[in-house]
Amino acid sequence: MSSTTRPHRTIQLTTTPPPHTTLLRRIQDSSPNSSQLIGFLTLAIVGGILLLLTGFTITAIVLGFIVFAPIIVLTSPFWLPIFVLVFVPLVGFLSLCGFGVAAVAVLSWVYRYSRGLHPPGSDRFDYARNRIATTAREVKDYAKEYGGYLHSKVKDAAPGA
């Protein structure tokens, strides 16, 4: 008898890992990397510092108001005329500047619109203009029809009129 040798095969059995290693692997996969962790820590530290500074600021404002309120009340007869002499002209000047800038912007828009350059918002302006014209035309037509109706009713009521 001749003996033929067969190569030896190894059979690998696939086994599922224990449940605790699967959970650990999931946690490791979803854990933040070092740059994300440093970013979060930086955010937490800066946020804490800003929160602390906000508390200091509010405390200083309240204490300043408590300390300076009597002084402000006692010296208010001097502050009111100074306020009127400084604040009113300042507000008037700033209002004048603001109205001037608004007027220049409006005139620039109208100039560009009249030249046909289509400034921003010109499409809405054209739509509104057409809508108003259409509505006015419809009202005019309705008034003509209704006016004729009333005129015929007046003749029926007063035949000699």
Side-chain angles (χ1 to χ4, degrees):
M1 280 188 125
S2 84
S3 72
T4 57
T5 60
R6 288 184 166 176
H8 182 66
R9 284 191 196 177
T10 58
I11 299 175
Q12 284 185 326
L13 298 174
T14 57
T15 59
T16 59
H20 67 282
T21 59
T22 306
L23 179 63
L24 288 176
R25 178 150 326 259
R26 284 186 183 174
I27 291 173
Q28 288 173 351
D29 290 341
S30 65
S31 66
N33 58 23
S34 61
S35 64
Q36 290 174 332
L37 185 62
I38 288 175
F40 176 74
L41 289 176
T42 304
L43 178 69
I45 290 170
V46 169
I49 291 171
L50 289 176
L51 190 63
L52 184 70
L53 289 175
T54 302
F56 286 155
T57 303
I58 291 174
T59 304
I61 289 171
V62 169
L63 290 177
F65 183 72
I66 290 171
V67 169
F68 290 113
I71 296 170
I72 292 171
V73 168
L74 292 175
T75 61
S76 64
F78 301 113
W79 290 109
L80 185 62
I82 292 173
F83 174 77
V84 169
L85 289 175
V86 172
F87 185 72
V88 171
L90 182 67
V91 167
F93 177 73
L94 292 176
S95 297
L96 180 68
C97 291
F99 290 140
V101 168
V104 167
V106 167
L107 289 175
S108 170
W109 189 92
V110 168
Y111 175 75
R112 286 187 284 162
Y113 182 77
S114 65
R115 298 281 301 205
L117 299 176
H118 301 292
S122 63
D123 54 343
R124 288 183 287 169
F125 181 76
D126 290 336
Y127 174 74
R129 186 182 61 190
N130 291 336
R131 184 85 186 261
I132 290 170
T134 303
T135 304
R137 197 174 314 114
E138 289 173 359
V139 167
K140 180 182 162 189
D141 294 342
Y142 180 76
K144 280 183 181 178
E145 290 175 22
Y146 192 69
Y149 173 76
L150 283 180
H151 188 65
S152 67
K153 287 294 185 187
V154 169
K155 284 187 177 182
D156 290 342

